[in-house]
Amino acid sequence: MGRTRRSGRTTRRPGGGAVTIDLESEGCTDQPSKHRTCWKHIQALMLARRTRISKQQAEEIESFKLTSPCFLQTIPCRERSKKRFKRNNAVSKLKKELDSVSFNCYMENMWKSFSEDKKMSFAYLDSLWFTMYTEASTGAKVLEWIKRKHIFSKKYVLVPIVRWCHWSLLIFCHFGESLLSENNSPCMLLLDSLEMANPKRLEPDIRKFVWDIYESEGRPEHKHMISQIPLLVPKVPQQRNGVECGSYVLYFINLFVQDAPENFRMEGYPYFMKVNWFSPEGLEHFCEKLESLESDTL
């Protein structure tokens, strides 16, 4: 018969020839990657591969052990900085696909960080409201909730949208102004970090959403005029992978609140919202800061 295995041990076949080594008896239960060119590394690697070797190879390893000790437990390792680990973990967390619960949590903490003067000009809607509006069973409820936001008294209204597993940002500008105004005429901005996904596909739902908001508020504007409100899609920085869109929307909001003009006029469009609006390094720094805001509230 060939070799047999008892309780994790191997035995050598009598008469020489091919043999196997009892690696576990040598204490080689560590992962091979933990060792650095030592005899235990060699044996642990063979254990992982269930390697059968010749008698001569076994004797060579036995000889190698005499002169090559394992240094695994002797090399000092620097303790990993908790702050650095926390920061790296924070960035990786925001680089993952954000669900609505996580997004709203980050949004609330970021909103608290803005000055009261800034917040006076802004309102924001829950990230699920737009999607809920498109569903027949919850559309009316969403319109009632929006009423409580008094959006027609604000210069800007931030509307995060998550559709088809992708985040984008809709911004209502000067909705409280007359549609015939020459200086502060209402308009809409749609910021999308994945332009190749065709942000304009949202336009039919956005148009209906806006009309229903005006109607539910009892506004006097005619439907035809409301349908003429410009929907602008500036060429903003684009995401580098398929899951960063939620982080980009949060960063869009952060920078827009900080830099939005006192009065948004078409002749100044797109203002600061250009393809080089911010750098990847700026986004990284923002993610770290945002995560620190979340940890401070725990």
Side-chain angles (χ1 to χ4, degrees):
M1 292 179 64
R3 59 178 180 171
T4 60
R5 185 178 299 276
R6 297 187 183 90
S7 302
R9 294 177 176 274
T10 58
T11 58
R12 297 186 181 184
R13 181 168 26 178
V19 298
T20 57
I21 297 177
D22 183 3
L23 300 176
E24 291 181 352
S25 69
E26 298 287 352
C28 299
T29 57
D30 297 314
Q31 291 294 326
S33 60
K34 292 182 179 181
H35 301 271
R36 296 293 183 270
T37 315
C38 62
W39 67 269
K40 187 176 284 190
H41 183 186
I42 296 172
Q43 290 189 318
L45 183 61
M46 288 192 297
L47 175 63
R49 294 179 177 176
R50 304 296 182 191
T51 303
R52 191 181 185 193
I53 63 176
S54 68
K55 182 177 180 181
Q56 180 180 355
Q57 290 173 318
E59 291 173 349
E60 290 174 355
I61 292 176
E62 290 297 317
S63 175
F64 185 68
K65 287 167 55 177
L66 298 177
T67 58
S68 301
C70 176
F71 297 102
L72 177 63
Q73 304 298 332
T74 61
I75 299 176
C77 297
R78 183 178 63 183
E79 184 178 356
R80 190 174 186 181
S81 168
K82 293 182 179 179
K83 183 177 180 181
R84 184 178 180 182
F85 173 78
K86 186 176 183 180
R87 182 185 65 197
N88 292 341
N89 186 56
V91 175
S92 62
K93 182 178 178 181
L94 275 165
K95 283 184 177 178
K96 296 179 181 178
E97 186 174 353
L98 289 179
D99 56 31
S100 57
V101 175
S102 298
F103 183 96
N104 287 338
C105 181
Y106 286 123
M107 181 66 201
E108 289 176 7
N109 288 330
M110 183 170 64
W111 187 255
K112 293 174 184 176
S113 71
F114 297 143
S115 69
E116 292 301 321
D117 289 342
K118 286 288 186 183
K119 290 189 285 188
M120 287 291 292
S121 300
F122 288 84
Y124 74 92
L125 306 187
D126 187 283
S127 64
L128 283 180
W129 285 6
F130 184 84
T131 301
M132 293 175 65
Y133 161 78
T134 62
E135 300 172 1
S137 60
T138 53
K141 292 181 181 178
V142 171
L143 294 173
E144 287 296 322
W145 297 335
I146 293 175
K147 278 185 181 181
R148 302 170 192 171
K149 289 285 187 175
H150 306 291
I151 67 172
F152 288 94
S153 66
K154 303 294 183 179
K155 291 182 179 179
Y156 302 104
V157 181
L158 308 167
V159 187
I161 295 176
V162 55
R163 295 293 303 276
W164 307 295
C165 299
H166 177 63
W167 290 92
S168 55
L169 176 65
L170 177 65
I171 304 176
F172 299 151
C173 304
H174 301 302
F175 266 30
E177 300 292 336
S178 170
L179 297 179
L180 300 175
S181 172
E182 294 183 0
N183 294 324
N184 301 324
S185 178
C187 66
M188 296 180 286
L189 303 171
L190 182 57
L191 311 186
D192 196 318
S193 61
L194 193 62
E195 190 175 353
M196 62 182 295
N198 185 20
K200 280 284 190 175
R201 63 181 174 165
L202 289 169
E203 184 169 4
D205 286 336
I206 290 173
R207 293 288 180 189
K208 185 175 183 302
F209 184 49
V210 170
W211 159 245
D212 283 344
I213 290 174
Y214 270 84
E215 186 180 44
S216 67
E217 294 271 5
R219 300 284 298 186
E221 289 82 359
H222 191 273
K223 185 174 183 178
H224 173 72
M225 293 294 294
I226 296 172
S227 67
Q228 298 303 308
I229 297 176
L231 176 61
L232 310 173
V233 184
K235 293 187 177 297
V236 295
Q238 298 293 283
Q239 63 194 70
R240 297 160 295 180
N241 60 50
V243 297
E244 289 184 310
C245 50
S247 299
Y248 269 73
V249 167
L250 288 167
Y251 200 30
F252 288 151
I253 293 172
N254 180 67
L255 293 182
F256 190 87
V257 171
Q258 293 179 14
D259 300 331
E262 184 69 18
N263 296 300
F264 194 96
R265 295 185 176 91
M266 295 297 293
E267 59 265 24
Y269 174 80
Y271 292 94
F272 47 85
M273 295 170 292
K274 300 177 182 179
V275 68
N276 59 348
W277 184 8
F278 55 81
S279 65
E281 293 75 20
L283 178 64
E284 294 279 354
H285 179 71
F286 166 75
C287 290
E288 295 174 10
K289 182 179 179 181
L290 191 58
E291 192 68 26
S292 68
L293 288 175
E294 184 191 42
S295 63
D296 289 342
T297 61
L298 298 178

